[in-house]
Amino acid sequence: MNVLDDLPLSRKQIVSIVEARRYRTTIWSGAVRAGKTIASILAFYDAVHKAPDTGLIIIVGRTLQTIERNIIEPMQDENVFGPWAAEVHHTRGSNIAVILGRTVHLIGASDVRAEGKLRGMTCCLALVDEATLLPENFWTQLQARLSVPGARCLATTNPDNPAHYLKTKFIDKASDPEMRLRAWNFTMDDNPSLDPEFVATTKASFTGLFYLRNILGHWVAAEGGVYDCFDPDRHVVKWADLPEMQWYVGVGVDHGTTNPTAATMVGLGVDNVLYAVDEWRYEPSSKEARRTNVQLSQGLRTWLAGPHHPSEDPDSPPRITCPVVVDPAAADFRVQLKQDGLSTGPAQNDVLYGIRTVSALFSVDKLKIADRCVGLIKEIPGYVWDTKATEEGKDQPIKLDDHSVDSVRYALVSTERKWRRRVKLAHDSKAEPVAA
Ligand SMILES: Nc1ncnc2c1ncn2[C@@H]1O[C@H](COP(=O)(O)OP(=O)(O)O)[C@@H](O)[C@H]1O
Ligand SMILES: [Mg+2]
């Protein structure tokens, strides 16, 4: 294994790779950037080399795109894997790769047809990326498919809810010899390639729940406030004191019929900080006060016509041309807006990804809220994790008074590609938002 000699692996990486040969399943869980994926890929190369001739070799991830980005591309990095990098052949978009001369099938768990495909397979080796994101039945199915004698499963994941099936039914049972399972927990200290400054900025970019999970590598439950790093002293600015905006990145709209309808406009300041500059809300005071989509559309469009910034002339505000993204569940409201001449897009609604992005922005003070956004400022402290869902192994906020918080999340996550290059978060999140 010449590559192992060249790469400055940490002791834990080496031991985990060598030990992986002795177990049916190896799970590397822990912090981000901890060297889990690199260790699992090395173990995978080793296993491909020794794999039985019978049975298929597969790589499993959330989608084909995440497999390509998180596994295939790093495998093709010559700086890390030297000559082995050239032994990985793959055409983007294809669900097949050839690795060390063997055909490897790439299976995205969120692809419904892929699950059907998995059902008919007999496998000898699987590499799994972001294992906690796989539905339990998919993981169970996968284990059943690994039926060839000597079959092996190599999986990485960030920690999740402690009641998650992967923790309770697998990792926690590692001491049972019948499981033939070895679980590792990595932190950034186990990755010898990181410089201290990178480690420090990465640590600073997570708070609360995400710090405990993604930095310390602990499986902890989502409890308390979702945005518990929010601090009005740091994150709320007077509207009159807003800096100039480079551009408005977008408007997010959460639609309610019996609930409030809320819109938040987000701009990118000249200081490369994102600002919730302005909001619009309609709160029905009673069932009778409920507004129709026609009326809500009217209200939203009147507000959009501005002004939204202290520098704008209230008598002739500039026309706002940024994207307007709407709660993907509110298709009928989007039709109404379209009829009224306002074209909109469906908002990205991967809730956890969005929450992680918003909290990462708050942690490094890259998201601030103008005091005009009264509804948003009021909602944030009361936006809490649902402890009942937590007990069932799911992370999900309580769906109550979450209208403005949803709208700002929609505005930010749906437009992330536009602002991301200007607003550097210390960690570069690998998860991509799921199309709504
Ligand atoms: N032993 C090592 N030597 C050199 N670079 C490494 C080593 N381990 C990890 N890295 C690099 O550190 C970064 C994070 O490693 P990765 O395995 O992707 O972490 P994780 O999967 O835990 O998030 C990657 O850029 C990877 O190439
Ligand atoms: Mg990884």
Side-chain angles (χ1 to χ4, degrees), residues 56-60 67 95-97 103-107 117 121:
L56 301 175
I57 301 180
I58 61 179
I59 299 181
V60 179
I67 295 170
N95 49 22
I96 278 181
T103 300
V104 175
H105 299 263
L106 313 181
I107 301 179
K117 205 169 144 202
M121 285 180 167

Side-chain angles (χ1 to χ4, degrees), residues 7-9 13 31-38 80 191-194 430:
L7 205 63
L9 294 168
Q13 283 180 316
V32 295
R33 302 282 170 201
K36 307 182 299 293
T37 296
I38 295 298
V80 183
N191 180 350
S193 77
L194 304 179
K430 284 182 190 160

Side-chain angles (χ1 to χ4, degrees), residues 41-42 44-50 57 75 83-89 97-104:
I41 288 173
L42 284 166
F44 182 69
Y45 275 127
D46 182 43
V48 171
H49 214 65
K50 300 193 176 75
I57 301 180
M75 279 185 131
W84 290 358
E87 294 290 332
V88 179
H89 304 280
V98 175
I99 298 173
L100 301 180
R102 291 244 353 208
T103 300
V104 175

Side-chain angles (χ1 to χ4, degrees), residues 4 32 56-57 83-84 91 101 107 149 248 260 279 306 312 327 346 359 367 380 418:
L4 280 187
V32 295
L56 301 175
I57 301 180
W84 290 358
T91 309
I107 301 179
Y248 290 114
E279 76 173 11
E312 289 166 6
D327 177 355
S359 30
L367 172 61
I380 290 174
K418 292 206 314 183

Side-chain angles (χ1 to χ4, degrees), residues 29-139:
S29 86
V32 295
R33 302 282 170 201
K36 307 182 299 293
T37 296
I38 295 298
S40 73
I41 288 173
L42 284 166
F44 182 69
Y45 275 127
D46 182 43
V48 171
H49 214 65
K50 300 193 176 75
D53 292 333
T54 53
L56 301 175
I57 301 180
I58 61 179
I59 299 181
V60 179
R62 197 154 56 84
T63 64
L64 179 59
Q65 290 71 36
T66 62
I67 295 170
E68 288 174 338
R69 196 170 57 234
N70 297 344
I71 307 279
I72 302 292
E73 283 172 24
M75 279 185 131
Q76 291 176 325
D77 185 348
E78 264 180 53
N79 295 326
V80 183
F81 295 112
W84 290 358
E87 294 290 332
V88 179
H89 304 280
H90 172 67
T91 309
R92 188 167 284 277
S94 159
N95 49 22
I96 278 181
V98 175
I99 298 173
L100 301 180
R102 291 244 353 208
T103 300
V104 175
H105 299 263
L106 313 181
I107 301 179
S110 62
D111 173 355
V112 184
R113 279 169 312 166
E115 214 217 309
K117 205 169 144 202
L118 180 68
R119 258 170 226 283
M121 285 180 167
T122 301
C123 304
C124 63
L125 176 62
L127 176 63
V128 184
D129 178 44
E130 299 189 289
T132 52
L133 301 183
L134 304 186
E136 181 169 0
N137 58 358
F138 192 99
W139 175 266

